[in-house]
């Protein structure tokens, strides 16, 4: 047996949240007990029988639970879960970077899981290199367990709301906010993605000169990776986000 913690976006009626029959898991796994976690009751701990297989994706469904006002959950009542693996080199890649935001904007880094692994964002760190090439300014992407599944994207910034308001966000759930991200200068800089044992998963040495040459104003324009499988530091593998998509995707 093992524990799974699921997080809701508002407090639940603790009685209904603690009912075993209100939860089911696809592809195996039986919920044997449930505890609504105080004091806010927006987290529920499930004890599950049957061991999960590594990197196999399961889906948990909540039904019958309600908030404190009696509103019963309907849509958006499922989420994926699974056992994560330590990300190795190039399992997760830097896919897009905004390093010269609008005056009212903020930097962001978009990551893509190109592996078949389930990755725990708690095991990933953003960083950069100083003038002597030493890695520094490590920032944990998540202090909580948060899973990035194969072929999924995540956007890391200091203010997800600002990024969503300034750019087209097709998946509003693919954002994570951290208190501070490393310094990424407007002209050129370095982005490092590290795992929890200090291994470099991906590293980008970007330059504003990689932007489309005829672009008059590069402020607020992101650089997008063209091919996941081509070298990260190939200037020809990066392009300015198009005006037709709002200069960032």
């Amino acid at each position: 047996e093992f524990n799974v913690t699921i997080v809701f976006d508002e407090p639940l009626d603790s009685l209904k949240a603690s009912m075993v029959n209100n939860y089911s898991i696809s592809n195996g796994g039986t919920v044997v007990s449930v505890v609504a976690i105080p004091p806010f009751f927006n987290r529920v701990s499930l004890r599950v029988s049957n061991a999960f297989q590594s990197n196999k994706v399961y889906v948990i469904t909540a039904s019958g639970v309600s908030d404190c006002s009696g509103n019963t959950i309907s849509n958006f009542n499922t989420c994926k879960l699974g056992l994560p693996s330590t990300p190795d080199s190039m399992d997760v890649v830097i896919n897009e970077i905004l390093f010269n935001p609008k005056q009212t904007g903020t930097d962001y880094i978009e990551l893509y899981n190109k592996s078949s692994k389930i990755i725990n964002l708690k095991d990933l760190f953003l960083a950069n290199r100083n003038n002597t090439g030493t890695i520094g300014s490590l920032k944990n992407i998540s202090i909580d367990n948060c899973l990035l599944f194969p072929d999924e994207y995540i956007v890391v910034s200091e203010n997800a709301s600002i990024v969503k308001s300034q750019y087209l966000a097709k998946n509003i759930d693919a954002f994570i906010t951290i208190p501070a991200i490393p310094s990424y200068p407007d002209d050129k800089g370095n982005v490092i993605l590290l795992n929890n044992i200090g291994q470099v998963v991906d590293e980008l040495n970007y330059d504003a000169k990689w932007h489309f040459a005829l672009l008059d104003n590069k402020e607020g324009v992101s650089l997008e990776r063209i091919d996941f499988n081509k070298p990260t530091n190939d200037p020809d593998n990066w392009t300015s986000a198009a005006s037709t998509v709002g200069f960032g995707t």
Side-chain angles (χ1 to χ4, degrees):
E1 295 184 352
F2 58 97
N3 288 326
V4 174
T5 300
I6 55 177
V7 182
F8 293 82
D9 62 1
E10 60 180 302
L12 301 178
D13 177 316
S14 59
L15 181 62
K16 291 184 178 179
S18 302
M19 297 176 66
V20 170
N21 292 338
N22 285 342
Y23 306 92
S24 61
I25 301 175
S26 69
N27 299 328
T30 302
V31 180
V32 295
S33 66
V34 183
V35 176
I37 303 174
F40 302 112
F41 298 109
N42 64 331
R43 292 174 179 250
V44 176
S45 177
L46 313 177
R47 182 165 289 277
V48 180
S49 65
N50 305 337
F52 282 5
Q53 297 178 26
S54 181
N55 293 317
K56 182 176 180 180
V57 179
Y58 300 83
V59 177
I60 188 163
T61 301
S63 57
V65 299
S66 63
D67 62 18
C68 297
S69 300
N71 300 308
T72 303
I73 194 168
S74 54
N75 296 328
F76 307 108
N77 65 330
T78 65
C79 67
K80 294 186 287 187
L81 69 157
L83 295 178
S85 299
T86 300
D88 203 347
S89 176
M90 302 304 288
D91 281 343
V92 179
V93 296
I94 301 161
N95 190 60
E96 184 173 342
I97 175 173
L98 179 69
F99 51 86
N100 183 8
K102 301 173 184 177
Q103 289 187 348
T104 58
T106 183
D107 290 359
Y108 69 74
I109 304 291
E110 182 186 76
L111 306 174
Y112 173 70
N113 183 358
K114 66 188 286 286
S115 74
S116 60
K117 298 177 181 178
I118 299 170
I119 306 296
N120 192 344
L121 294 175
K122 192 176 182 179
D123 295 336
L124 286 176
F125 298 78
L126 285 174
N128 58 18
R129 292 187 189 272
N130 61 22
N131 293 333
T132 63
T134 304
I135 295 175
S137 301
L138 270 71
K139 307 296 182 184
N140 202 173
I141 291 179
S142 178
I143 59 173
D144 291 321
N145 293 306
C146 184
L147 302 182
L148 183 68
F149 292 87
D151 299 318
E152 282 191 348
Y153 300 83
I154 193 75
V155 177
V156 186
S157 74
E158 294 178 6
N159 193 317
S161 297
I162 288 178
V163 178
K164 292 176 188 179
S165 69
Q166 294 182 346
Y167 299 94
L168 177 63
K170 293 185 178 180
N171 180 3
I172 61 172
D173 295 323
F175 288 79
I176 194 163
T177 297
I178 61 177
I181 64 173
S183 174
Y184 299 126
D186 292 351
D187 53 349
K188 58 183 177 180
N190 171 269
V191 185
I192 302 177
L193 186 65
L194 296 168
N195 64 16
N196 59 339
I197 57 174
Q199 178 186 12
V200 174
V201 177
D202 196 12
E203 181 170 356
L204 169 67
N205 299 306
Y206 67 85
D207 195 310
K209 295 178 181 177
W210 294 3
H211 274 298
F212 181 55
L214 299 181
L215 193 63
D216 292 330
N217 184 7
K218 301 176 180 63
E219 187 177 273
V221 182
S222 74
L223 274 177
E224 295 183 319
R225 190 185 190 119
I226 296 171
D227 191 327
F228 305 129
N229 298 309
K230 288 184 177 179
T232 300
N233 288 296
D234 180 358
D236 294 331
N237 197 29
W238 293 84
T239 185
S240 302
S243 60
T244 52
V245 293
F247 296 111
T249 57

